[in-house]
């Protein structure tokens, strides 16, 4: 019985030490903001998220998202930025935005020595009339350069996953079903890319209702819509051909 008590006391002691360490670690962090998922950010972390994604993305981040941001060392990498205007080229190593009258697409990068953490952020500026199967994706001329981390649709404080995703030799994509209702819609795709290539990123909105089966009728090609999606003729008219963005990394 004494041996059991000693083991019990030892376990309790170890748990108390671990808890104490976590408390001290939390206290050591200069918390600037905590969201509804109990994820806390320093001012530096909060500002990084705003620059890399958008101001407000912090509300949707869970602990897994936060851990990815920290573990991937993204915050120790510079976010490169350049403005995109009509008739001007895109400079290398750039965060690039292209806007239509209804939505804005943004491509961000934070690069290490051999690869880059990247994100496509699509922001609907109005409420879309058609709510069907939209596509977000990226294309690279370099084989097997891209890898999806995650992709989500966010609206009215709600976050949901993609319907399906595709990863091929030169391209990646996620199919997103727009919600039947809801405003402030944003689409996020996180992915990684090897350095030394050009990245094309695009979002294609189904302007007419399309089936999931027909939404799959595309290949990856820089000559396609947005520099990413080459649709088969039978479904080409369903998508809005929004211009994409590109970045040399």
């Amino acid at each position: 019985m004494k041996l059991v008590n000693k083991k019990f006391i030892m376990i309790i002691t170890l748990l108390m030490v671990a808890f104490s360490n976590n408390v001290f670690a939390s206290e050591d962090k200069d918390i600037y903001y905590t969201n509804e998922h109990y994820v806390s950010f320093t001012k530096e972390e909060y500002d990084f998220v705003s620059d890399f994604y958008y101001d407000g993305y912090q509300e949707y981040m869970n602990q897994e998202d936060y851990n990815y941001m920290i573990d991937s060392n993204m915050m120790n990498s510079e976010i490169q930025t350049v403005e995109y205007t009509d008739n001007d080229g895109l400079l290398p190593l750039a965060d690039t935005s292209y806007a239509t009258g209804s939505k804005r697409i943004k491509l961000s990068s934070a690069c290490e020595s051999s690869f880059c953490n990247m994100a496509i952020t699509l922001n609907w500026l109005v409420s879309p009339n058609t709510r069907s199967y939209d596509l977000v994706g990226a294309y690279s001329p370099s084989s097997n350069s891209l890898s999806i981390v995650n992709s989500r649709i966010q609206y009215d404080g709600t976050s949901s996953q993609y319907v399906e995703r595709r990863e091929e030799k030169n391209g990646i994509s996620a199919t997103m079903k727009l919600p039947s209702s809801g405003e402030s819609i944003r689409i996020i795709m996180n992915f990684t890319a090897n350095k030394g290539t050009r990245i094309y990123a695009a979002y294609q909105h189904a302007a007419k209702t399309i089936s999931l089966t027909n939404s799959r009728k595309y290949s990856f090609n820089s000559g396609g819509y947005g520099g990413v999606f080459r649709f088969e003729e039978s479904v080409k008219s369903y998508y809005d051909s929004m211009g994409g963005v590109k970045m040399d990394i």
Side-chain angles (χ1 to χ4, degrees):
M1 181 64 69
K2 290 183 178 180
L3 181 60
V4 173
N5 288 338
K6 287 181 179 179
K7 286 184 178 180
F8 179 76
I9 292 172
M10 183 177 295
I11 292 172
I12 293 298
T13 302
L14 290 173
L15 289 174
M16 290 179 64
V17 170
F19 175 77
S20 177
N21 287 338
N22 287 334
V23 170
F24 287 139
S26 177
E27 290 177 348
D28 288 342
K29 181 176 177 177
D30 188 11
I31 296 175
Y32 173 76
Y33 175 76
T34 301
N35 67 17
E36 293 183 356
H37 303 289
Y38 306 104
V39 179
S40 296
F41 303 82
T42 64
K43 180 66 165 61
E44 182 184 13
E45 292 166 349
Y46 187 98
D47 290 344
F48 178 87
V49 172
S50 294
D51 292 341
F52 196 75
Y53 300 101
Y54 65 90
D55 188 17
Y57 183 65
Q58 299 88 344
E59 278 292 333
Y60 292 91
M61 290 179 66
N62 56 33
Q63 193 62 49
E64 182 180 354
D65 298 325
Y66 177 83
N67 290 343
Y68 171 73
M69 181 180 73
I70 300 302
D71 295 343
S72 65
N73 205 37
M74 291 169 61
M75 288 190 54
N76 291 324
S77 304
E78 182 180 1
I79 302 174
Q80 300 292 334
T81 303
V82 68
E83 292 184 6
Y84 173 81
T85 55
D86 291 343
N87 302 319
D88 283 346
L90 303 179
L91 299 178
L93 290 171
D95 166 348
T96 315
S97 295
Y98 173 95
T100 69
S102 58
K103 50 193 180 302
R104 176 181 296 273
I105 188 172
K106 175 182 177 181
L107 178 64
S108 303
S109 71
C111 297
E112 300 289 323
S113 58
S114 61
F115 74 98
C116 298
N117 289 292
M118 308 195 71
I120 302 170
T121 303
L122 187 286
N123 178 22
W124 274 94
L125 306 177
V126 297
S127 179
N129 292 324
T130 304
R131 308 281 182 121
S132 193
Y133 293 102
D134 288 4
L135 301 165
V136 60
Y139 170 83
S140 168
S142 303
S143 298
N144 303 315
S145 175
L146 310 176
S147 180
I148 297 176
V149 176
N150 58 53
S151 188
R152 296 178 183 143
I153 182 169
Q154 301 167 344
Y155 59 97
D156 297 347
T158 300
S159 181
S160 58
Q161 297 287 336
Y162 53 82
V163 175
E164 60 185 24
R165 72 183 196 180
R166 183 187 295 187
E167 293 188 77
E168 295 184 1
K169 184 179 178 181
N170 293 94
I172 56 173
S173 66
T175 304
M176 317 299 295
K177 178 66 168 68
L178 293 188
S180 57
S181 62
E183 307 297 327
S184 304
I185 299 173
R186 286 184 171 91
I187 312 292
I188 306 293
M189 174 184 275
N190 287 294
F191 64 100
T192 59
N194 297 334
K195 287 197 71 174
T197 188
R198 171 169 288 185
I199 305 297
Y200 297 85
Y203 178 84
Q204 292 302 308
H205 169 60
K208 298 184 290 185
T209 301
I210 190 170
S211 68
L212 178 60
T213 298
N214 283 335
S215 73
R216 297 168 179 154
K217 294 180 178 180
Y218 65 87
S219 58
F220 297 110
N221 191 287
S222 60
Y225 285 175
V228 177
F229 297 100
R230 174 171 284 177
F231 291 99
E232 295 181 13
E233 286 298 324
S234 62
V235 300
K236 199 172 182 180
S237 64
Y238 281 79
Y239 287 92
D240 66 354
S241 70
M242 178 185 177
V245 292
K246 61 183 177 181
M247 182 186 298
D248 292 324
I249 59 174

